[in-house]
Amino acid sequence: MTDSAASLLRLMQASHTATLEELPGLIADHAAVAGMHDVALFVVDIRETVLRRLTGRGLGAGDRGQEFTVAGSLPGRAYRRVEMLTEPGWEGTRDRPGGRRWWVAVTDGVERLGVLRADTDSDDEPVRQALRDLASMTALLLLSKRSFSDSYARLVRTEPMNVAAEMQWNLTPPPAYAGHDVTVGAVMEPAYQVGGDAFEYAVAGSTLHLGVFDAMGHDTTAGITANVAVAACRNARRQGASLTETSRSVEETLIEQFGTSRYVTGIMADLDMESGRLTWINRGQHLPILIRGNRWTTELACPPAGPMGADLGLPVTTATEQLEPGDRLLLYTDGVVEARDRYGTEFGQERFVDFIRRHHSGRHTLHETLRRLMAAIMEHHDGKLDDDATVLLTEWRGGHQQELTP
C-alpha cells in the first residue's frame, strides 16, 4: 500500500468520532504524510457565490478564514469547471520553496461541495492522483458531518434565513445526483426566504422518482404545507403506491390537516433508468419541458387533475414519454418564468429554455448551468423574487454511465 493510500485509510478511521471543527486539522495532518502540505478546505455557500475556508474556529467554523468568489477567482474556476488547477506564479514558502500549489474541486459524484488547496513538491501523475483521492475522501467526510452540524449551516450562509426556508432546505434531498445513467440537478430561490416550493427525487432499484411542489402562499404556513405534501408523497411511495395513488394520498393528507384552505400544485414522475420510459401526472403545475439534442424542445402534455388539497374531484391522468439518450427533462415552478424586471417584462419560458440549451451545450456541467440560470433570474428581478422559483433538471444518458461525472 502506498503512503497516500495508507494515509487516506487512517484519515477515514480517525474521522469517525471527529466533529466538523476537527476536520481541517485531521485532513492536513494525514495529507502531510503523503507529501501534500499547507492543505486547506473551502466550502461553497448555498447560492454558490463564495468559497469560505473551513478553519474549525468560531461559531461558523470559519473564523479568520479566507474567502473567494465563485465567479471571479482561480479557486472559483476550479469549482465551476470541476478541474484541478495549479496557481500561476506560485514560488512556494520560505520553508518549502518551489513546487506547485493546487486547487482541486471537492465533489461527491456531481454535487460540488467546495475546493481543496494543497502544495506539493512535484506535479507528476502519482501526485495528481493523490490530490484527487484526497479531495474525494474530503467530500465523504464533509457529507458525514454536515447533517448534524450547526457550524456547517452557519458557514454556508451569507444572510439570515427565514423559518420556511429552514424547513425546506432540511426537507429536500441534496441539490445534485448522478448514477444509473442519470444526472439530476436542482436549485431553489430565494434561497434564504423560500416559502412553499420544494423539489423531490429518490432512487429505488432502476426507478428514479421526481417531483416539484408549489404550496399556496409564501410564508411559514406555505412551508409547512409543502413539508406535509412531500412527507405524504414519500410515505405513500415507500408503501408501493402508484403515481395516481400517491397524489391522492397527498390530497387526503392535506385535507385532513387543513381542510380545503391550503393546497399544493405539483408534477410527480417516475423514470425507468434502464429503458428511459417516463411516466408522470399533472396536479396543476407548469407542464414539463423536454429538450432533445439541444435543438428540439417540446412541452409535454397531460390533462391537469387540479391542485392537491383543493378537493376538486378531477380524474388523474398518467402520461408517458419515451426518452432518448441525452434528453433533458425540466420540471419547474412559476417563479422561474414569471420573474419580472423593473419594466414588468417576464423572464419567460422561451428565455428559460434557451438559457438551458446555450449553457449546457457541452460548455458547462448540468449543475453549473443551473447555478448560472438562477443568477440570471435573480439579476433579471433585481436580486429579489416576488415568488419562489424552483428548477429540477434531469438528464438521461441511456447507457453512457461513464459520462455522468466531469
Side-chain angles (χ1 to χ4, degrees), residues 111-132:
E111 184 184 0
R112 302 178 298 185
L113 303 172
V115 294
L116 195 69
R117 186 197 71 202
D119 297 345
T120 63
D121 296 330
S122 62
D123 64 351
D124 55 19
E125 182 53 33
V127 165
R128 292 170 182 257
Q129 188 57 54
L131 287 164
R132 295 187 195 98

Side-chain angles (χ1 to χ4, degrees), residues 174-249:
Y177 165 78
H180 210 320
D181 292 336
V182 299
T183 303
V184 180
V187 283
M188 286 197 307
E189 283 288 358
Y192 297 93
Q193 303 294 321
V194 66
D197 270 18
F199 64 87
E200 165 74 337
Y201 69 85
V203 174
S206 62
T207 301
L208 173 67
H209 303 288
L210 300 164
V212 292
F213 301 87
D214 186 355
M216 166 191 172
H218 187 75
D219 53 15
T220 303
T221 305
I224 293 171
T225 306
N227 266 254
V228 172
V230 174
C233 172
R234 290 173 178 170
N235 182 259
R237 189 181 70 219
R238 290 167 181 173
Q239 295 182 62
S242 66
L243 289 171
T244 297
E245 292 167 341
T246 297
S247 77
R248 287 175 176 157
S249 179

Side-chain angles (χ1 to χ4, degrees), residues 7 26-39 96 119 134:
S7 176
L26 278 177
I27 293 168
D29 290 345
H30 286 79
V33 175
M36 294 171 279
H37 307 281
D38 202 15
V39 172
R96 305 188 66 83
D119 297 345
L134 179 62

Side-chain angles (χ1 to χ4, degrees), residues 42-52 68 70 79 112-114 152 154-159 191-192:
F42 295 78
V43 299
V44 73
D45 72 302
I46 291 173
R47 276 204 175 114
E48 297 182 280
T49 59
V50 295
L51 293 159
R52 289 176 163 173
F68 297 98
V70 168
Y79 175 86
R112 302 178 298 185
L113 303 172
Y152 185 90
R154 294 186 182 106
L155 186 61
V156 300
R157 299 179 187 186
T158 58
E159 61 184 82
Y192 297 93

Side-chain angles (χ1 to χ4, degrees), residues 264-286:
V264 176
T265 61
I267 296 287
M268 285 179 279
D270 287 343
L271 174 62
D272 186 320
M273 295 181 285
E274 293 181 347
S275 69
R277 187 167 181 79
L278 177 76
T279 57
W280 60 284
I281 60 172
N282 176 11
R283 296 303 306 254
Q285 189 57 266
H286 281 283

